[in-house]
Amino acid sequence: MGQAALKTTARSTVSFRPLATLRELEDSGLVTAHLAGEPRAFDAMVERYQTRLLNFVYRIVGDRERAEDLVQEVFVRVHRHLARFDRSKKFSTWIYTIASNLAKNELRNRARNPLVLFSSITKDWDDEERPLEFEDVNARPDDQFRKRHVKEMVDQSVAQLPSHHREVFVLRELEGRSYEEIAEITHCNLGTVKSRLNRARNSFAEIIEPSLR
């Protein structure tokens, strides 16, 4: 049997599943399906993580268009290196690590400050309330001026946080990631993560508190 026939036979053994079926799989199942040659498995990965990663990266780099470019690069790297992914690890941690590294490189290259949008924050809030809610769904039209004013104060306050504090703050408070995942994503031990997060929370609250009175 020639090589062309062998390739045809190999392709015929792959069971192409509908995207709706693939959406029901866990991350590990999507990885397995993609590596087995399922053409829509990667589409399901992109669909599952694209919005989450865009929000994450945007909150770090503060530029929507650039964040979109970086997320595209995340998926390029995932596609390129997925065969080498350690499948004993969590896929979500791996993909967030890639996104985090790209975002940090962007900050180093452009020295830009991010925009983290939320309406209010208090010092020493309940650590178990995750993630934070940043929009008031009951806001009235006449609240828009106040919200814009608060947003400006937030931007100025966040700009004063060191990037490594900002990163753990976003991962924990906005993304709801566990301490263990944050440690792996940021390549820090748990003690460092908790220390940075505590300092970030308190520093941010102290910076913005006078403006919220």
Side-chain angles (χ1 to χ4, degrees):
M1 184 180 294
Q3 289 186 350
L6 285 172
K7 292 180 180 178
T8 300
T9 301
R11 285 197 297 267
S12 66
T13 62
V14 178
S15 177
F16 297 154
R17 286 172 280 184
L19 186 57
T21 300
L22 291 168
R23 290 188 186 116
E24 298 175 358
L25 296 177
E26 299 288 339
D27 289 346
S28 59
L30 288 178
V31 171
T32 299
H34 173 72
L35 295 178
E38 170 57 67
R40 296 181 180 178
F42 195 79
D43 293 337
M45 290 182 202
V46 173
E47 184 180 273
R48 181 172 296 175
Y49 281 98
Q50 188 169 38
T51 299
R52 293 189 232 173
L53 291 177
L54 180 58
N55 289 335
F56 169 62
V57 174
Y58 171 61
R59 284 162 176 155
I60 296 295
V61 304
D63 184 321
R64 191 78 178 184
E65 291 186 3
R66 186 59 184 142
E68 291 174 352
D69 293 339
L70 291 173
V71 170
Q72 288 184 353
E73 177 62 23
V74 170
F75 288 115
V76 167
R77 295 190 181 194
V78 168
H79 191 276
R80 184 181 301 154
H81 302 297
L82 191 57
R84 302 206 304 266
F85 166 59
D86 182 353
R87 293 165 71 181
S88 68
K89 307 290 186 181
K90 289 183 65 174
F91 177 79
S92 62
T93 301
W94 183 60
I95 197 170
Y96 266 93
T97 300
I98 296 172
S100 175
N101 289 338
L102 288 173
K104 284 187 286 189
N105 287 340
E106 179 71 11
L107 287 180
R108 281 194 289 265
N109 292 337
R110 297 189 296 124
R112 291 286 298 269
N113 291 319
L115 299 177
V116 181
L117 308 179
F118 54 106
S119 59
S120 65
I121 192 169
T122 58
K123 187 176 179 180
D124 299 323
W125 57 84
D126 187 351
D127 185 58
E128 296 306 316
E129 295 179 359
R130 292 290 170 274
L132 292 176
E133 296 293 338
F134 299 123
E135 294 183 3
D136 182 359
V137 296
N138 298 314
R140 299 171 300 179
D142 58 0
D143 288 334
Q144 295 307 309
F145 176 79
R146 178 186 62 81
K147 292 174 69 175
R148 284 197 298 270
H149 179 59
V150 170
K151 175 183 177 299
E152 291 175 359
M153 292 187 296
V154 167
D155 293 345
Q156 294 169 4
S157 300
V158 170
Q160 298 180 53
L161 292 177
S163 60
H164 55 288
H165 286 173
R166 186 188 314 141
E167 181 184 22
V168 296
F169 186 90
V170 172
L171 284 167
R172 180 64 175 171
E173 307 300 346
L174 305 184
E175 298 295 329
R177 295 288 154 184
S178 69
Y179 290 119
E180 290 76 13
E181 284 184 283
I182 296 172
E184 189 166 350
I185 290 169
T186 60
H187 309 294
C188 297
N189 59 47
L190 283 175
T192 300
V193 167
K194 293 179 180 180
S195 176
R196 287 181 179 178
L197 183 58
N198 183 62
R199 291 181 182 179
R201 288 170 175 162
N202 291 331
S203 295
F204 186 88
E206 289 174 358
I207 292 167
I208 201 171
E209 184 179 10
S211 302
L212 294 175
R213 292 173 182 169

